[in-house]
Amino acid sequence: MSYKKILCSYNDGIARITLNSPKNLNAMDYSLLSELSKELDECKKNANVRVVVLNGAGKGFSGGGDIAAMYKAIEEGQGFGELIEKAAEVALKIKKLPKPVIAAVHGPVAGAGFNVAIACDFCIAAENALFLQAFVKIGLIPDCGGVYLLTRAVGAAKASELALTGKKISAKKALELGIVSEMYNNEEFEEKTNKFALKIAKGPAVSYKNMKQLIYKSQFSDFEDYLKEEVRAQVECSKTEDFKEGLKAFLEKRQPNYIGR
């Protein structure tokens, strides 16, 4: 299948999906999310795929949403319902994929990029990775299942701190918090990630499938219901003046002047 914003390769039982829109830091726009969703379906159907590695081209994994495109859409009176639903769809497909998914992240891992990464079964980071729940800075809530996944990863108190303040955390701190399972220096990051993916690819596929299903049932059984509420809440936030002001302030590189309505 031919894509415009992702690259895919298959080798030794490993499907590598690379977010490939480096000019806007692999922004999670509708086009990229749609392609990612389709490729996850392909990985699910392909019996030769035993593990999926998700990474990003260029300077980082993903900077989150395309702020300039969002502001243009707001100015033109367009809504964001379809985009928000597609983000939720990707997170759900990662969690329910009957094969292990490894996020291999470097550089900025922000917004939706952060939450796609923690939706994966493993998150392996280069030491230069920088994690950021950026939504509060533009008057939104975390999408891609962010609050749900983050509270389960680090607990409610730390998730509240990260989501409500938009605080940046280093790869080292993310490792300490349990967001990241392994961290490697930038030079050996790719080699170590590939070695781990190959080890998983040689493992027991049926066992992995059943473990993922049981983990989902025990920890994420209400995830779909949560995502519906997340979409509703995000649509509400996207209609506010705070959202428009947050986007404008970001583009103008200044602090937003929220009005709290």
Side-chain angles (χ1 to χ4, degrees), residues 48-94:
N48 293 320
V49 172
R50 299 171 69 88
V51 61
V52 177
V53 176
L54 180 61
N55 59 15
K59 295 181 180 180
F61 179 69
S62 175
D66 188 330
I67 302 299
M70 287 183 184
Y71 188 71
K72 181 180 179 182
I74 284 289
E75 289 287 273
E76 294 174 354
Q78 299 176 23
F80 290 90
E82 289 186 355
L83 172 63
I84 298 162
E85 289 173 357
K86 187 60 66 174
E89 177 183 288
V90 166
L92 184 63
K93 286 185 177 182
I94 290 172

Side-chain angles (χ1 to χ4, degrees), residues 56-237:
K59 295 181 180 180
F61 179 69
S62 175
D66 188 330
I67 302 299
M70 287 183 184
Y71 188 71
K72 181 180 179 182
I74 284 289
E75 289 287 273
E76 294 174 354
Q78 299 176 23
F80 290 90
E82 289 186 355
L83 172 63
I84 298 162
E85 289 173 357
K86 187 60 66 174
E89 177 183 288
V90 166
L92 184 63
K93 286 185 177 182
I94 290 172
K95 296 309 297 179
K96 299 190 80 170
L97 193 75
K99 304 171 184 185
V101 185
I102 302 167
V105 303
H106 72 290
V109 190
F114 189 153
N115 297 328
V116 165
I118 61 174
C120 297
D121 303 296
F122 305 94
C123 183
I124 298 176
E127 63 182 352
N128 70 352
L130 188 64
F131 295 81
L132 171 64
Q133 289 286 338
F135 304 92
V136 70
K137 298 182 182 296
I138 55 170
L140 292 180
I141 63 165
D143 56 20
C144 293
V147 168
Y148 186 104
L149 298 168
L150 197 59
T151 53
R152 281 154 180 76
V154 302
K158 181 56 68 173
S160 295
E161 178 187 344
L162 296 177
L164 284 118
T165 68
K167 178 181 179 181
K168 296 178 183 178
I169 57 172
S170 66
K172 182 179 179 182
K173 185 64 177 179
L175 180 64
E176 293 172 0
L177 290 173
I179 293 169
V180 167
S181 53
E182 297 287 347
M183 182 188 73
Y184 299 110
N185 65 52
N186 301 332
E187 291 71 28
E188 65 178 0
F189 166 65
E190 185 174 351
E191 177 188 351
K192 293 286 190 179
T193 302
N194 290 340
K195 184 177 180 180
F196 178 68
L198 186 59
K199 178 181 178 180
I200 295 293
K202 292 179 178 179
V206 175
S207 177
Y208 290 154
K209 178 192 74 172
N210 280 286
M211 281 191 279
K212 282 202 65 171
Q213 288 175 346
L214 289 169
I215 290 169
Y216 186 89
K217 186 174 183 179
S218 68
Q219 296 296 318
F220 305 105
S221 59
D222 59 344
F223 192 35
E224 288 188 64
D225 290 335
Y226 167 85
L227 288 171
K228 292 175 184 177
E229 285 300 306
E230 179 185 271
V231 169
R232 179 204 59 76
Q234 193 74 299
V235 168
E236 179 182 347
C237 290

Side-chain angles (χ1 to χ4, degrees), residues 3 6 17 19 28 30-41 54 90 93-94 116:
Y3 298 114
I6 65 173
I17 306 175
L19 309 182
M28 295 275 179
Y30 187 84
S31 177
L32 186 147
L33 288 166
S34 295
E35 291 182 4
L36 180 53
S37 179
K38 290 177 183 177
E39 185 55 26
L40 289 168
D41 288 339
L54 180 61
V90 166
K93 286 185 177 182
I94 290 172
V116 165

Side-chain angles (χ1 to χ4, degrees), residues 226-255:
Y226 167 85
L227 288 171
K228 292 175 184 177
E229 285 300 306
E230 179 185 271
V231 169
R232 179 204 59 76
Q234 193 74 299
V235 168
E236 179 182 347
C237 290
S238 73
K239 294 177 180 179
T240 64
E241 287 299 317
D242 280 345
F243 176 51
K244 185 175 181 179
E245 165 61 12
L247 294 176
K248 187 176 182 181
F250 182 91
L251 294 172
E252 294 175 355
K253 299 181 179 180
R254 61 172 174 81
Q255 289 296 314

